[in-house]
Amino acid sequence: IFCVMQALEELVRKNALYYDIMCFEWRWTVDKVELANQVSADVVETIKDKIKGLSTDIQRLLSVMAFIPQSVGVPVLKELLMNDEDNSLDENKIASLLKEASEDGMLMWSTESRNYVFSHDRIREASREYVVEEDRDKMLRHMADVLQRLGKGSKMEWC
């Protein structure tokens, strides 16, 4: 079901499929040959296209969350998202971004961990792959420094 939903959302994003509110039905704007070119066979590529359409703050949030094995709270995310160029994300903004990403179907609220988690493992995979390789090492180094600083004296396990 997940892959079908992602494919349909991609078709709607690309305006190949739309809901006609006058006739109360879905309509195609392309023929079968064009339709084959509109949909990627790889669900991760489809999700990466969806991520491209999100705000840069949500893209960054998803990328950081993709490299954390467990869900973490907003205060930890705030520290992980803080970098030299941009310190404008406060806890309220991060909570708002988490909610927005949830509304976009990328994240969901976990009652077990009481935090947001990825809705599907393919979304985590796409978010990981979305990070440009040159930026990945810098981001991972920053995350390691933050987690090490936050973990000093703590009994919390990150794996």
Side-chain angles (χ1 to χ4, degrees):
I1 293 176
F2 175 76
C3 295
V4 172
M5 290 299 297
Q6 293 302 315
L8 288 173
E9 286 179 11
E10 181 179 15
L11 290 171
V12 171
R13 272 193 315 276
K14 292 182 175 182
N15 294 321
L17 178 67
Y18 71 96
Y19 188 74
D20 187 337
I21 58 173
M22 299 300 285
C23 298
F24 301 107
E25 65 184 13
W26 288 93
R27 300 236 177 180
W28 299 96
T29 59
V30 295
D31 60 25
K32 287 182 183 181
V33 175
E34 289 179 272
L35 182 60
N37 296 330
Q38 295 284 338
V39 180
S40 171
D42 184 4
V43 72
V44 173
E45 288 302 317
T46 301
I47 297 168
K48 283 167 58 176
D49 284 343
K50 185 176 180 178
I51 292 172
K52 282 180 193 173
L54 301 174
S55 73
T56 56
D57 285 339
I58 291 180
Q59 291 172 7
R60 211 166 107 217
L61 174 76
L62 293 174
S63 297
V64 166
M65 287 180 70
F67 287 96
I68 302 171
Q70 297 179 348
S71 62
V72 294
V74 173
V76 175
L77 280 174
K78 177 185 176 192
E79 294 293 322
L80 291 171
L81 289 167
M82 194 176 295
N83 60 28
D84 297 335
E85 301 96 35
D86 179 24
N87 294 327
S88 64
L89 295 177
D90 63 6
E91 290 187 16
N92 290 332
K93 175 69 174 171
I94 293 170
S96 171
L97 292 172
L98 288 166
K99 187 174 188 303
E100 189 177 335
S102 175
E103 290 167 356
D104 288 330
M106 303 304 237
L107 302 174
M108 66 180 192
W109 179 257
S110 168
T111 54
E112 182 180 322
S113 68
R114 302 195 40 81
N115 289 312
Y116 284 95
V117 295
F118 283 96
S119 300
H120 196 276
D121 62 335
R122 296 294 189 173
I123 297 173
R124 178 187 293 274
E125 183 181 342
S127 298
R128 245 186 212 169
E129 290 181 13
Y130 192 77
V131 181
V132 180
E133 195 167 335
E134 300 86 49
D135 297 337
R136 184 175 298 141
D137 290 339
K138 181 181 175 185
M139 182 181 82
L140 290 174
R141 216 173 8 262
H142 170 73
M143 290 174 64
D145 291 343
V146 168
L147 293 176
Q148 187 175 25
R149 181 173 43 83
L150 293 175
K152 282 190 179 170
S154 171
K155 294 186 190 315
M156 182 183 296
E157 291 185 24
W158 295 102
C159 298

